[in-house]
Amino acid sequence: METDADDRIAAAVAALSDRATERAGDEFTRAAWLSLADPRPEAELSPFDTDERGWVGAGLRWLVVAAVAYRVAGRDARATRRGVEGIAVARDLMTTLDAPAQQACLAEFVADFRVVAAMDGVDDAYADAAEAYRDAGENVDDPRRVATSPLFKAADEPIKQVARGPANGEIAIEWADLHGSDPADPGAFLARRATYKRQRFASLLDRVVDDGQLAAPRGTTAYGDDNHRCPDCGSTDVNWTAGHVLCLRCSAPMERD
């Protein structure tokens, strides 16, 4: 089922492919607002409903990515406003997404917003999230199921998207990077997310800002596709994402070969 938010995500990805990063920030912002207002239209789910899967997390994801796009475009004040908005929303959602692990994930989002908005208190925010995860561990029976829920996946995606650029479009952050090695210890398993981001997110973002380009989200990919070629870098590696056919390497629109 295609939604209004999907249309805005497609418009944002098109803007990234055109190197119109500020416009991408605007479209990601619109996608965020739409997702927050109507997180799962087919289920008529309210953003104010308790939801063990956390579908409303998609709205937080796009607010984070919007702030990144604004940073890349040199619109730092707007990025800061998105960060302030995102922190307020994440904290408000703590009143409805009340499972301890969900609350810890929302604290992780708070730290992410501090990073992308270039705000103070990043290390303390990630430390608070990691502590919340460790405290939540005794209430988590299956940390893998928790970590693959929509809320947690939404918190994974912004740093993965940021990391793609410096990695030539490849997957630069794996599951094992974001999670501990022993799911039998759920608290430590989940707390790794916040620890890893504290170590990596800000430096990755700085590289992307310096490069002046944000990669599109990674979708379905193919290597050495004989039917497509990138007019910008000559690659034949393809990324199908948000309805667009882009270069896996540089996110430019592919041409039929």
Side-chain angles (χ1 to χ4, degrees), residues 3-248:
T3 67
D4 291 341
D6 293 328
D7 291 341
R8 301 277 57 85
I9 294 165
V13 171
L16 289 180
S17 71
D18 292 337
R19 310 298 189 248
T21 316
E22 181 178 350
R23 176 159 55 89
D26 294 343
E27 295 294 351
F28 281 129
T29 299
R30 296 175 72 187
W33 289 337
L34 288 164
S35 298
L36 288 169
D38 201 4
R40 202 178 184 203
E42 70 274 20
E44 298 183 356
L45 180 70
S46 165
F48 305 109
D49 289 340
T50 298
D51 169 23
E52 67 171 10
R53 304 300 285 159
W55 291 97
V56 74
L60 296 175
R61 170 191 178 178
W62 298 123
L63 273 182
V64 175
V65 176
V68 173
Y70 288 132
R71 287 282 304 278
V72 173
R75 295 297 303 271
D76 290 353
R78 184 161 283 181
T80 298
R81 286 193 288 273
R82 293 296 167 266
V84 171
E85 292 168 9
I87 289 171
V89 172
R91 287 178 172 161
D92 187 49
L93 289 174
M94 288 179 181
T95 64
T96 54
L97 300 182
D98 54 4
Q102 289 182 322
Q103 300 242 318
C105 188
L106 291 169
E108 180 185 328
F109 264 118
V110 168
D112 291 345
F113 282 116
R114 289 189 176 279
V115 171
V116 298
M119 299 169 70
D120 294 334
V122 169
D123 285 351
D124 287 343
Y126 278 127
D128 289 345
E131 182 178 2
Y133 277 127
R134 286 190 287 267
D135 290 343
E138 64 184 23
N139 298 293
V140 175
D141 295 327
D142 186 350
R144 289 193 180 94
R145 184 175 187 275
V146 169
T148 54
S149 68
L151 178 67
F152 279 69
K153 290 175 69 175
D156 291 349
E157 292 302 325
I159 189 173
K160 290 181 177 180
Q161 183 176 345
V162 168
R164 287 192 64 237
N168 196 29
E170 294 290 356
I171 297 172
I173 297 176
E174 303 280 358
W175 168 272
D177 295 320
L178 285 170
H179 301 97
S181 58
D182 183 9
D185 184 352
F189 181 85
L190 296 172
R192 171 66 181 166
R193 300 167 58 90
T195 302
Y196 182 84
K197 286 184 176 181
R198 179 179 59 79
Q199 295 167 342
R200 296 295 311 284
F201 201 177
S203 60
L204 286 168
L205 178 58
D206 286 344
R207 289 187 62 184
V208 169
V209 171
D210 289 344
D211 290 343
Q213 182 177 336
L214 174 62
R218 186 175 172 119
T220 302
T221 60
Y223 292 83
D225 187 312
D226 293 336
N227 297 315
H228 296 91
R229 184 172 298 276
C230 177
D232 286 8
C233 71
S235 174
T236 57
D237 300 332
V238 186
N239 179 31
W240 287 273
T241 183
H244 299 284
V245 185
L246 305 182
C247 176
L248 179 68

